[in-house]
Amino acid sequence: MAEAGAWWAVPAASALLLGLAVLTVAAGAVLDARDAGRAVTPRTALRPLLDVAHALVRQPRRLPASDRLLWRLGVVTVPVSAVLAVLVVPFGGHAVADPSVGLVWFNAMEVLTWAGLWLAGWGPNAALSLVGGYRFLAQGLAYELPLMFALISAATGAGSLRTGAIVAAQQDLWFAVWMPVAFAVHLLGVLAFSFTGPFAYPTGRDLAGGVLGEVGGADRLLLRAGRRLWLAAGAAMAVPLFLGGGAGPGLPAWAWSLVKTLLVLAVLVAAERRLPVLRADRWVEFAWVVLLPLSVVQALVPALVVL
């Protein structure tokens, strides 16, 4: 079981999540420079971070007849929900909170991004931005059910929705070993609710940026930060769900949690750069015809083992 943290664990978890998100941004900048044949220097990794100051001083976009309140609410919801989701993720043997429905809490915060990103697309009162918001909803309808069955597989194997109990149930064998489909579906789900890589369709170039096309200044920074925070939060959640949490020889539990999270993040960053962007209709077809049946069969495996 994970031990619940004190009040200072909230800013500590938020700072750690932000650090992981910044690391993904720096890694992406380095890979971009390498692919373009440019020299890779420390400035290459820091350049995206230097642009933060410029974004903060820029004026936000103002469009006629836009709903500024809901627009701003949607923009803020994406990063805030990522921070709230990570509160139930155990780091080593500690978590900010370890409620009896921790897995449900994480999934609920992820679903909250649906509302946030759709509002970010609807609020500007611009056609292309709204289409981007609807594209994310279409992706959500495709990935959410397989993702829920992947989470159910881990919960069934542990007999609990508590993330600490799921970690304790993997003392002998990690769930990723005998639930590989659920593990793969979770990683795909992380890319999907981060709307990045093959699931960057809501921000497509054919829509002039989609949900990102009409936001500027601090609003744009928050929305882009939200997708990196969700990528880091999803990678961190994969560790207690499928990789045994902080279990491992030699190193303390917190170190193993960090190492495993960094490895999962490396896989996700590589995948988001190598996999082509999927159209929502093709992704829906694949998810419902192939991925969903596989996820249901995978969920049956731990159920039969428990019985």
Side-chain angles (χ1 to χ4, degrees), residues 207-301:
L207 294 180
V211 291
L212 292 175
E214 301 297 342
V215 290
D219 292 338
R220 185 179 182 86
L221 179 63
L222 281 172
L223 208 52
R224 296 185 66 181
R227 70 196 305 190
R228 310 315 294 183
L229 289 170
W230 265 118
L231 192 72
M237 191 59 168
V239 175
L241 287 185
F242 299 102
L243 299 177
L251 299 176
W254 66 266
W256 273 116
S257 291
L258 180 60
V259 169
K260 293 175 184 179
T261 301
L262 291 176
L263 289 176
V264 175
L265 266 180
V267 171
L268 293 174
V269 170
E272 72 175 355
R273 299 179 57 80
R274 301 304 177 189
L275 298 178
V277 176
L278 300 173
R279 269 179 24 198
D281 57 330
R282 294 184 177 180
W283 165 239
V284 169
E285 181 180 3
F286 173 76
W288 282 73
V289 175
V290 178
L291 211 57
L292 183 57
L294 286 177
S295 301
V296 173
V297 173
Q298 176 67 96
L300 288 174
V301 173

Side-chain angles (χ1 to χ4, degrees), residues 94 198 244 255:
H94 301 273

Side-chain angles (χ1 to χ4, degrees), residues 76 96 147 170:
V76 172
V96 176
L147 177 61
Q170 300 176 68

Side-chain angles (χ1 to χ4, degrees), residues 90-110:
F91 189 74
H94 301 273
V96 176
D98 191 25
S100 60
V101 290
L103 204 57
V104 177
W105 171 267
F106 180 86
N107 189 234
M109 293 301 102
E110 174 264 315

Side-chain angles (χ1 to χ4, degrees), residues 29-151:
V30 170
L31 292 175
D32 284 338
R34 190 190 65 178
D35 293 343
R38 300 193 301 268
V40 176
T41 63
R43 182 177 176 81
T44 303
L46 294 176
R47 185 172 182 179
L49 306 180
L50 299 177
D51 294 337
V52 172
H54 297 289
L56 291 175
V57 298
R58 290 175 187 163
Q59 291 295 323
R61 296 287 297 273
R62 298 181 183 275
L63 298 177
S66 62
D67 193 324
R68 293 178 59 190
L69 176 61
L70 294 183
W71 189 5
R72 185 65 56 83
L73 180 63
V75 168
V76 172
T77 296
V78 178
V80 169
S81 60
V83 174
L84 292 176
V86 84
L87 299 182
V88 298
V89 178
F91 189 74
H94 301 273
V96 176
D98 191 25
S100 60
V101 290
L103 204 57
V104 177
W105 171 267
F106 180 86
N107 189 234
M109 293 301 102
E110 174 264 315
V111 173
L112 192 59
T113 60
W114 290 33
L117 205 63
W118 188 83
L119 287 176
W122 182 83
N125 191 34
L128 297 181
S129 179
L130 180 60
V131 172
Y134 274 115
R135 282 184 175 183
F136 184 75
L137 294 183
Q139 287 187 171
L141 292 174
Y143 81 77
E144 187 59 39
L145 273 179
L147 177 61
M148 289 178 65
F149 277 108
L151 299 179

Side-chain angles (χ1 to χ4, degrees), residues 123-224:
N125 191 34
L128 297 181
S129 179
L130 180 60
V131 172
Y134 274 115
R135 282 184 175 183
F136 184 75
L137 294 183
Q139 287 187 171
L141 292 174
Y143 81 77
E144 187 59 39
L145 273 179
L147 177 61
M148 289 178 65
F149 277 108
L151 299 179
I152 289 171
S153 298
T156 305
S160 175
L161 292 171
R162 192 188 301 270
T163 51
I166 294 174
V167 173
Q170 300 176 68
Q171 291 181 353
D172 299 324
L173 185 65
W174 292 356
F175 285 169
V177 176
W178 60 293
M179 301 182 194
V181 174
F183 183 44
V185 168
H186 176 78
L187 295 184
L188 283 175
V190 173
L191 291 173
F193 59 64
S194 302
F195 53 103
T196 186
F199 304 102
Y201 198 48
T203 60
R205 294 181 179 178
D206 58 323
L207 294 180
V211 291
L212 292 175
E214 301 297 342
V215 290
D219 292 338
R220 185 179 182 86
L221 179 63
L222 281 172
L223 208 52
R224 296 185 66 181

